[in-house]
Amino acid sequence: MTTQTTPQKPSGTPAAPATGLIGIPPHLARALATGGGLLTVLSTFLAWTWTTAFPGNLTVYGYPGGLQVLVLIGGALTTLLGLASYGVKGVRRLTPADADPAVRFAALGTFATTWYTVLALSYQLGGLVNLEPGGWIAAVTTLLTLLGALALPYRKPQPDPLDPDSTSWERVRHRLAHAGQSVKAAFAAPAPRPAPALPSYAEILIIVGIMALALTVFTYGIGTEYDELFVGFLITAGLGFAALHKAGLIAHASQITARHQNITICGAFVAAALFPFTQTDDQYATIGVYILIFATVALGLNIVVGLAGLLDLGYVAFLGVGAYAASLVSGSPSSPLDLHLPFWATVLVGAAASLVFGVLIGAPTLRLRGDYLAIVTLGFGEIFRITVNNLDGTSGPDVTNGSNGISSIPNLKIFGWDLGAEHTVAGFTIGRFANYFFLMLLITAVVVLVFRRSGDSRIGRAWVAIREDETAALAMGINGFRVKLIAFAVGASLAGLAGTVQAHVTYTVTPEQYLFAGTIPPNSAFLLAAVVLGGMGTIGGPLIGAALLFLIPNKLQFLGDYQLFAFGLALILLMRFRPEGLIPNRRRQLEFHEDADAPAVLGKTGA
């Protein structure tokens, strides 16, 4: 007698059939997403309102303006990714990883920007009655596009085995966790295939295109003329970047730039040098030079935090030491020292002063670890601010003029070139802040060179060893105290180098500029956030993180009391969905994504 047994499902059985979040057939969902993206593009050529009271002039037929341009870009990206999901020849190259997750993010970004515009129109103009047919068409088509994108198939994860003896509360938690995995998988993309090696000239052209795109995006973002346009820019840029990441284009671009790292760095500096020539006045060049100062200091902090793993909460004090040292020898009438040193000597004084303070503070404190070291550095930052505030001739000797600071700092002159005067170069008028922008760009290049050379050196490998496991590094013969002191001194001197330029850019140096936290950077909290959010241990991470953290608070001032709330919420979301940073170091990326396959060769520390 033969006993029939029910075949058991083998452990290696593939996941359940692909389904979407919405019960629409995949072929219909793909057509809805692609066609909706195309209709969204067409809707931007129609008038969305009848009055020019809303900024951007959305009343013109046949010519998109203001927020319509962002919707046009989002709709075009959704259409291209939708065609790639069909496997259209040529367009399929846009999605080396997977098209469906990319379509979801592109559709979500277009929907969010469109509906934000429609709601802002209705709120400012007094109701939906102020919408023209173009606005209604855009709202409906983006909604249908999003529904189609959400209905695209995804791989449903297999549930974890549930313990039959578990309690009811554990079963509820299990179901909630599995539901979260399902939603997360809907927006997930498989790992992209390795980028095929192209001819060198083709890859260099791709790098040039990447730099041109980055310059265009940065120039557009920094030059937004009104608040609504900047909010729409953040939505489109953020979700558009996520769509390109899910498509695998970001990973392929990273592989190409890694093969030509020197060309990429040189191209980035050339693109940055072109920025002042895109401006007609100093309005946005002013923000540009402050971003470079902030970014340079953040890159110096990245040596201390990103490479050596030392949590420094008072790093902005080294920026202040360099700024005060430079202002005292700058020839300012409010300086008690009757000195007016040339530029090169001022730079050396500022960097040397910060270096000395870094050694003096680090020598007695770097034997501490973790939270204890963070508390000590935080105390140093506050001691510096209080000390320069008290050196006013009343509470102490008259050195820094107390809370009034050192004012009327003269402009720098380099080889007879007055950075405070306008100059005409090739028909372009270069103003004061543009001159300082080029100077800070040169200093940033020096800091990048120091970071790369030190990160790839023997001392850089010792920093990484201390960061990963100090006990193991000490057991292998590394002098932990000496290595950490070098990191502290190098980081402090780089901050002082940037501080010398900051003193001359702002004309005045006061204690209130060097707080631990505040609404406007640079301060210690924003500097640390720039390093962590940008990507610890990398070159591009702190530069991009500093640019975002300086630009966003300046543009969100219209929120008033809710500015820090919105900013903090954005940081929480970024840390939740990309904890390794915008440009992660590969080692840290593997730490946060343990289920990811390890690359064959880890990138360099300073990549």
Side-chain angles (χ1 to χ4, degrees), residues 18 161 223 451 460 489 513 527 582 590:
F451 185 91
Q513 295 175 340
L527 288 171
L582 295 176
L590 291 177

Side-chain angles (χ1 to χ4, degrees), residues 459-510:
I459 191 67
R461 293 192 294 271
W463 287 338
V464 175
I466 290 291
R467 182 194 70 193
E468 296 298 327
D469 193 329
E470 184 173 352
T471 303
L474 295 177
M476 296 302 295
I478 295 177
N479 189 333
F481 173 74
R482 182 176 65 88
V483 167
K484 291 190 291 185
L485 186 60
I486 293 174
F488 221 67
V490 172
S493 60
L494 294 180
L497 186 64
T500 59
V501 180
Q502 187 208 25
H504 292 82
V505 169
T506 58
Y507 287 125
T508 303
V509 178
T510 59

Side-chain angles (χ1 to χ4, degrees), residues 126-376:
L128 294 173
V129 69
N130 294 284
L131 292 180
E132 288 290 302
W136 289 105
I137 293 174
V140 173
T141 54
T142 53
L143 177 60
L144 295 177
T145 303
L146 180 62
L147 292 177
L150 294 178
L152 292 175
Y154 68 94
R155 295 182 180 275
K156 188 175 182 180
Q158 288 290 333
D160 297 330
L162 182 63
D163 185 0
D165 297 330
S166 59
T167 63
S168 300
W169 172 241
E170 290 174 344
R171 291 175 180 272
V172 171
R173 289 199 309 174
H174 177 272
R175 293 190 179 96
L176 290 176
H178 177 54
Q181 292 175 0
S182 300
V183 175
K184 184 178 180 180
F187 291 91
R193 298 181 295 273
L198 299 174
S200 296
Y201 72 89
E203 293 189 340
I204 292 175
L205 288 177
I206 291 175
I207 293 174
V208 172
I210 292 173
M211 296 306 161
L213 178 62
L215 177 62
T216 302
V217 172
F218 178 76
T219 304
Y220 186 90
I222 203 173
T224 49
E225 300 176 354
Y226 48 93
D227 303 330
E228 294 85 355
L229 184 60
F230 181 73
V231 174
F233 167 76
L234 286 181
I235 296 173
T236 303
L239 293 175
F241 178 85
L244 297 179
H245 171 67
K246 292 299 182 182
L249 287 177
I250 302 298
H252 275 212
S254 300
Q255 294 173 18
I256 293 175
T257 55
R259 288 197 285 264
H260 306 275
Q261 196 174 65
N262 292 331
I263 294 177
T264 301
I265 293 176
C266 293
F269 279 103
V270 170
L274 293 176
F275 168 72
F277 296 101
T278 64
Q279 308 300 312
T280 56
D281 53 36
D282 264 3
Q283 179 182 2
Y284 300 118
T286 305
I287 300 178
V289 69
Y290 284 123
I291 287 176
L292 279 182
I293 293 174
F294 187 24
T296 303
V297 180
L299 194 58
L301 178 61
N302 197 24
I303 293 179
V304 180
V305 177
L307 294 184
L310 306 174
L311 183 56
D312 190 347
L313 297 182
Y315 188 76
V316 74
F318 297 122
L319 176 69
V321 170
Y324 267 98
S327 62
L328 288 173
V329 299
S330 64
S332 169
S334 59
S335 171
L337 303 180
D338 189 15
L339 289 175
H340 189 182
L341 300 181
F343 165 72
W344 63 268
T346 303
V347 169
L348 292 179
V349 168
S354 295
L355 173 64
V356 170
F357 271 84
V359 173
L360 292 178
I361 297 302
T365 60
L366 285 178
R367 300 187 187 277
L368 300 174
R369 298 187 187 183
D371 299 339
Y372 301 100
L373 177 62
I375 293 173
V376 170

Side-chain angles (χ1 to χ4, degrees), residues 61-140:
Y61 282 88
Y63 186 82
L67 286 162
Q68 287 177 321
V69 176
L70 299 175
V71 176
L72 171 63
I73 295 173
L77 181 62
T78 305
T79 304
L80 288 175
L81 294 174
L83 293 174
S85 67
Y86 273 109
V88 177
K89 188 176 180 180
V91 185
R92 181 68 181 87
R93 295 177 180 269
L94 294 176
T95 55
D98 192 3
D100 291 345
V103 172
R104 294 189 191 99
F105 274 99
L108 179 61
T110 308
F111 169 82
T113 306
T114 302
W115 280 72
Y116 165 75
T117 306
V118 169
L119 294 177
L121 279 168
S122 302
Y123 176 77
Q124 293 190 16
L125 301 181
L128 294 173
V129 69
N130 294 284
L131 292 180
E132 288 290 302
W136 289 105
I137 293 174
V140 173

